[in-house]
Amino acid sequence: MKDLLKDTLYPAAMLMLLVGAWLAGVYLLHLPPYLLPSPHDVFDRLTGDFGYLMWHSGVTTFISLAGFFLSIVIGIPLAIALVSSKILDRTLMPWLVLSQTFPKVALAPLITVWFGLGMGPKIGVTFLVAFFPVLISSVVGLRSIESEMIELADSMKASRLQKFWKFRLPMALPSIFAGIKVSVAFSIVGAVIAEWVGATQGLGYLLLQANASLDTSLLFAVLICLTVIGVVLYYSVEWLEKMMIPWHATVRLKDRL
């Protein structure tokens, strides 16, 4: 109970400080609503359009999760393949790195032209944004096993599969989860980018509509929805990390602080 109170007290205090500064800035500087709406206006918009915002939030959350899970399903097995095969690593890794130099905002319209306006292309854009952190962190984690652990496995006459499941993968999990946490945050960005092109639903679509009509109260309401989605997804992954690797130093240290 004490840990839960500590975890919520500091973020709540920071939130109150930010809202207070926001409120003071609006009234002291006499800013018009089209430049910066008051917290009260944004709250009224959130409550007044709650069902409307929740519908679009559900669409964005679905796209984000689909692209995120796809990045895990493809990224981790590909990382295992790259670590297991030097030929595959030398062949694919330069192209994978090169693929990240292309801005995803520029690729989104092209993907839409090729594959249409359905959910598939939007999930594909989200996957492209979220994929690389999972891949790189998994590769780094799988390669970072200490030589002493390999020698221990050899002394126990472990097979190659046993070395992977009992030694290499458990030691790589902290690094893999670090990449997954970055990926889940990037998936929200990817979903918004995807919804900027040819979409009729989703929070990215609402951002474009609010920007075109200078509806800043709607814009702030959408940003709050995106923030809530991102925080919930991130801490969900962090909770899963605690469940799967409670033995790791980073998890135990965080619990003690």
Side-chain angles (χ1 to χ4, degrees):
M1 187 64 183
K2 187 184 294 185
D3 292 338
L4 180 62
L5 185 62
K6 277 198 313 186
D7 289 341
T8 56
L9 182 61
Y10 293 114
M14 187 64 186
L15 177 62
M16 292 176 62
L17 183 64
L18 289 174
V19 172
W22 177 7
L23 191 63
V26 169
Y27 287 107
L28 292 178
L29 300 176
H30 303 289
L31 295 173
Y34 67 86
L35 283 182
L36 184 65
S38 69
H40 182 267
D41 292 338
V42 176
F43 180 77
D44 286 345
R45 196 61 181 265
L46 281 168
T47 54
D49 293 338
F50 183 77
Y52 179 69
L53 289 168
M54 288 302 100
W55 160 252
H56 288 281
S57 296
V59 173
T60 300
T61 303
F62 173 77
I63 294 172
S64 301
L65 286 175
F68 169 64
F69 284 126
L70 192 62
S71 70
I72 294 175
V73 169
I74 295 178
I76 294 178
L78 181 57
I80 294 171
L82 291 174
V83 170
S84 302
S85 172
K86 290 183 179 180
I87 295 176
L88 195 63
D89 180 34
R90 291 169 182 169
T91 304
L92 287 184
M93 186 56 78
W95 292 102
L96 291 170
V97 173
L98 181 64
S99 70
Q100 299 306 301
T101 63
F102 294 98
K104 305 306 181 293
V105 177
L107 286 177
L110 187 59
I111 292 174
T112 302
V113 169
W114 284 346
F115 300 104
L117 301 175
M119 282 289 184
K122 294 174 178 55
I123 293 171
V125 172
T126 306
F127 160 74
L128 290 176
V129 174
F131 162 73
F132 203 62
V134 175
L135 175 70
I136 291 299
S137 296
S138 300
V139 168
V140 170
L142 291 168
R143 284 178 175 165
S144 61
I145 186 170
E146 298 177 357
S147 58
E148 290 82 0
M149 297 296 293
I150 298 297
E151 291 173 1
L152 175 62
D154 290 336
S155 68
M156 299 171 67
K157 301 188 183 303
S159 65
R160 187 172 182 178
L161 187 61
Q162 287 174 327
K163 288 179 185 178
F164 174 78
W165 283 111
K166 300 294 185 180
F167 292 89
R168 192 178 291 276
L169 183 60
M171 297 301 295
L173 281 177
S175 181
I176 291 173
F177 268 106
I180 289 174
K181 286 191 282 189
V182 174
S183 176
V184 77
F186 279 13
S187 67
I188 307 293
V189 178
V192 171
I193 290 172
E195 290 169 351
W196 281 349
V197 183
T200 57
Q201 54 188 353
L203 294 177
Y205 166 74
L206 286 189
L207 279 177
L208 288 181
Q209 297 300 307
N211 185 59
S213 59
L214 290 179
D215 190 349
T216 50
S217 62
L218 176 60
L219 194 149
F220 272 75
V222 171
L223 291 177
I224 290 171
C225 291
L226 286 170
T227 301
V228 171
I229 294 170
V231 168
V232 170
L233 293 182
Y234 178 87
Y235 280 105
S236 297
V237 173
E238 191 167 80
W239 174 83
L240 183 62
E241 180 185 25
K242 287 183 178 181
M243 295 299 103
M244 292 191 66
I245 53 171
W247 47 266
H248 193 254
T250 56
V251 175
R252 289 187 281 107
L253 179 62
K254 188 180 292 185
D255 289 338
R256 287 199 299 266
L257 290 177

